[in-house]
Amino acid sequence: MTLRSVLIGTGSALPKLAVPNAEMAKMVDTSDEWIVERTGIRNRYIAGEGETTSSLATAAARAALEAAGLEGKDIGLIVLATATPDQTFPATATIVQDAIGANGGMAFDVAAVCSGFLYGVGVADAMLRSGMATRALVIGAETFSRILDWEDRTTCVLFGDGAGAVVLEAQDVAEDGPGILATKLHADGAHNELLYVDGGPSTTQTVGHVRMKGREVFRHAVVNLADVLGSVLAEVGLTSADIDWVVPHQANQRILDATARKLGLAPERVVVTVDRHANTSAASVPLALDTAVRDGRIKPGDLVVLEAMGGGFTWGAALLRV
Ligand code: UT7
């Protein structure tokens, strides 16, 4: 027997307002054709009045708890990944904690932008296996629309808002049983200027807007994601042929295709939601995971790999048996 963090529930939430590409073309000089051809995005959801990172995160957390058959009081650790917290402090995780009634346990945010959920999973997995908690909620939640420059067509068409959550439970399982088998996390701060926000409390005292050199980020993404997928599989002696599902960060359909090609993965094993949700940063992997669990594609026993890459740069992958 071995102690593992086992996935026992998933959930997600989206804002009410769906914004198809045609609406974006009314705001900036772009077209449905350009966005679909270059990114695969057809639609995104944008938070309206009263919808915040914490409200989306809370809805996703409640759905994940319900799927796990648990209540807030059963959760000892909340790790919330976001680059768009409700406030600079307190951590958005503490707002969710109070809303779901998990008061008294641990709750904090992690900042690794689009890789934030993978960092959250890595941290929660280590804390669960070291005995610091028995059950954890890991949440990725964003209202990226609030840090977009709505006059910059090179970025504003790419992102959307949403939240996804998972419940992990420390369990003693058989060697071939369920749970997180390996995680790999990386960062390289030399590439800060390729993807960043031009503001913050300690520099401009403003929130700032997303700035990205898309073509350069694209190149790094394909190389780093293929590398980290290969190494997380190698860690447990597996290859891409063993994988049932890849749940990637949903930034661009062309990145998903190029990464799958590099690893020799069949496209039908890749979960794609970028067409519906656009890039929701830290929310994109758990949103896609919940989508594929709820529509019945991902089943108990499946071997699933999660991966993401984002600002920093940061990137990572996690391998789990469901
Ligand atoms: O989540 C974090 C990780 N982020 C990513 O992974 C994003 C990675 N990058 C990308 O997905 C792609 O690089 C983009 C989708 C951002 C851009 O696609 P691209 O094929 O690399 O286009 P490009 O930046 O090379 O731009 C091509 C042309 C440019 O015009 P010129 O210079 O060729 O005349 C742009 O000005 O497309 C123009 N363009 C647009 N045209 C219509 C840029 N944005 C738009 C737009 N609508 N929204």
Side-chain angles (χ1 to χ4, degrees):
M1 299 294 271
T2 176
L3 185 64
R4 288 211 191 111
S5 308
V6 176
L7 179 72
I8 59 166
T10 66
S12 61
L14 290 162
K16 281 189 216 63
L17 181 68
V19 181
N21 289 348
E23 289 297 313
M24 302 303 297
K26 293 180 190 163
M27 289 182 234
V28 286
D29 180 16
T30 190
S31 63
D32 177 51
E33 195 188 6
W34 189 94
I35 301 171
V36 172
E37 189 187 309
R38 300 292 179 123
T39 71
I41 296 166
R42 293 177 186 276
N43 182 69
R44 75 281 297 136
Y45 291 83
I46 301 292
E49 213 182 319
E51 289 176 318
T52 58
T53 294
S54 70
S55 73
L56 294 168
T58 299
R62 286 195 173 120
L65 284 173
E66 193 181 339
L70 297 175
E71 294 175 26
K73 64 173 170 47
D74 302 318
I75 299 296
L77 167 66
I78 300 176
V79 185
L80 189 148
T82 191
T84 48
D86 285 20
Q87 294 147 266
T88 304
F89 80 83
T92 302
T94 63
I95 303 171
V96 176
Q97 189 207 45
D98 187 46
I100 64 169
N103 309 62
M106 296 172 277
F108 58 92
D109 292 357
V110 296
V113 207
C114 299
S115 316
F117 182 74
L118 269 299
Y119 268 75
V121 165
V123 168
D125 176 41
M127 291 175 77
L128 289 174
R129 284 186 296 109
S130 73
M132 291 178 74
T134 306
R135 288 186 208 92
L137 257 171
V138 184
I139 307 168
E142 303 277 15
T143 43
F144 238 62
S145 62
R146 302 216 163 116
I147 56 165
L148 293 175
D149 175 351
W150 286 94
E151 292 179 357
D152 175 11
R153 69 173 183 173
T154 70
T155 51
C156 74
V157 303
L158 304 174
F159 295 93
D161 301 332
V166 297
V167 183
L168 299 175
E169 183 176 66
Q171 289 181 12
D172 260 321
V173 296
E175 205 49 53
D176 61 353
I180 295 176
L181 306 179
T183 55
K184 288 272 179 194
L185 300 170
H186 300 280
D188 183 353
H191 301 294
N192 262 315
E193 83 292 353
L194 296 180
L195 178 50
Y196 66 101
V197 166
D198 61 5
S202 181
T203 48
T204 60
Q205 297 83 56
T206 62
V207 172
H209 293 113
V210 175
R211 305 293 172 205
M212 175 164 73
K213 295 202 172 77
R215 209 176 303 178
E216 283 89 335
V217 176
F218 189 108
R219 267 205 312 274
H220 283 278
V222 174
V223 172
N224 289 343
L225 289 172
D227 273 1
V228 78
L229 279 170
S231 65
V232 83
L233 290 169
E235 171 116 346
V236 288
L238 297 173
T239 71
S240 50
D242 301 306
I243 294 301
D244 294 301
W245 296 102
V246 181
V247 184
H249 173 48
Q250 310 282 323
N252 186 320
Q253 181 68 51
R254 291 187 294 140
I255 296 178
L256 305 189
D257 294 341
T259 314
R261 241 189 340 263
K262 241 174 168 254
L263 284 161
L265 272 163
E268 53 277 13
R269 290 178 187 275
V270 181
V271 176
V272 178
T273 54
V274 68
D275 53 334
R276 284 175 272 169
H277 301 157
N279 181 347
T280 58
S281 182
S284 93
V285 170
L287 254 170
L289 177 64
D290 185 51
T291 302
V293 166
R294 282 176 194 263
D295 69 21
R297 276 179 287 172
I298 295 180
K299 295 185 195 65
D302 282 354
L303 206 51
V304 177
V305 65
L306 317 176
E307 49 96 324
M309 145 99 189
F313 290 142
T314 55
W315 66 101
L319 178 67
L320 67 144
R321 194 172 290 111
V322 178

